[in-house]
Amino acid sequence: HYHMERAVIEAEKHLETARRLIENHTVNSAALYKYYFRRGMILRIDKPAEAREYFEKSAIYAENNNESISEKGATYLAIGTTYKIEKNYNVAKDHYFKALFHFHEKDIYGRASALNNVADIYRILKDYHTAIKYIEDAIALIEKERITHHYFVLKQTLAEVKLLNEDSSACYSYFDLLKKAMNISIDKKIVKT
């Protein structure tokens, strides 16, 4: 929770305590997965190579795979992000596809996130047609869920990619969505301006 609240120093203190507990006690796989995964999440932006080492360890202990949590899928998605940060786009894309394979078939948010990341790689590589295909696949997965922050992120990605491809139609659709959501409680941090 400290990490999600961007209180990195507090998060580090608790993770250090967890590290000592791991060294001195027998700990189950679920706890080991969470420890290594969260450690990687804290490091991924500033130290992607070091974060990747933690994510790779977390993959060893990833066991949960259901419609709520797909640990291996989340791990490969995170590993892909470390490569993306390092601008190693093809390796990042491979890990996003690997994540897609490991997400539970009913984990629509995980699968949509993987597809969104694949689309973003194709956007970076300026293959806009392929990017649009993957983002439209992601939108199709979650469209039935109504207006959620996931839906906003996907519609925003589609608008950006289509605009780069000189098609502004998705921008109008995105703006209409924003207008419809004016009275809905949504985390405004995820909406770019």
Side-chain angles (χ1 to χ4, degrees):
H1 292 285
Y2 284 119
H3 175 252
M4 290 187 305
E5 293 171 1
R6 306 215 188 314
V8 178
I9 294 170
E10 284 298 316
E12 279 292 335
K13 286 179 191 175
H14 289 285
L15 284 169
E16 181 55 29
T17 301
R19 186 193 60 74
R20 286 194 304 272
L21 290 170
I22 287 171
E23 287 177 350
N24 299 323
H25 299 86
T26 302
V27 180
N28 67 26
S29 291
L32 289 169
Y33 168 79
K34 287 175 186 163
Y35 169 75
Y36 290 121
F37 187 81
R38 290 180 180 157
R39 195 79 175 171
M41 290 300 285
I42 287 175
L43 295 168
R44 73 185 172 141
I45 302 298
D46 297 325
K47 299 177 182 176
E50 189 177 339
R52 196 164 39 249
E53 291 175 24
Y54 283 106
F55 290 136
E56 288 168 353
K57 288 178 184 176
S58 75
I60 296 166
Y61 301 104
E63 294 176 354
N64 287 323
N65 189 22
N66 56 53
E67 61 189 73
S68 301
I69 179 72
S70 297
E71 291 174 343
K72 273 212 198 273
T75 299
Y76 290 125
L77 195 64
I79 291 170
T81 299
T82 65
Y83 282 111
K84 181 179 170 186
I85 290 166
E86 294 175 335
K87 298 183 181 350
N88 194 339
Y89 300 123
N90 287 319
V91 177
K93 182 176 49 146
D94 291 345
H95 279 82
Y96 293 147
F97 279 123
K98 198 176 209 181
L100 190 58
F101 177 76
H102 283 282
F103 276 114
H104 189 277
E105 69 179 28
K106 291 186 178 179
D107 184 350
I108 60 170
Y109 295 120
R111 293 175 60 220
S113 291
L115 289 167
N116 187 51
N117 279 287
V118 169
D120 196 44
I121 294 296
Y122 281 111
R123 177 193 61 81
I124 291 166
L125 298 174
K126 299 183 190 292
D127 183 349
Y128 303 128
H129 294 291
T130 306
I132 291 167
K133 176 205 172 301
Y134 282 105
I135 197 60
E136 286 177 341
D137 289 349
I139 290 170
L141 276 176
I142 67 163
E143 211 155 34
K144 298 172 191 126
E145 298 295 312
R146 299 191 187 171
I147 298 174
T148 65
H149 75 278
H150 298 285
Y151 190 64
F152 269 98
V153 169
L154 297 175
K155 291 294 269 188
Q156 176 183 321
T157 301
L158 180 63
E160 289 176 6
V161 173
K162 282 195 167 190
L163 188 60
L164 288 168
N165 200 36
E166 299 181 3
D167 176 358
S168 61
S169 63
C171 293
Y172 296 115
S173 173
Y174 180 63
F175 294 142
D176 286 342
L177 177 64
L178 290 173
K179 200 168 151 183
K180 285 180 193 174
M182 283 177 58
N183 297 319
I184 297 174
S185 177
I186 295 178
D187 184 358
K188 292 181 177 76
K189 290 184 283 189
I190 62 107
V191 180
K192 289 184 185 174
T193 54

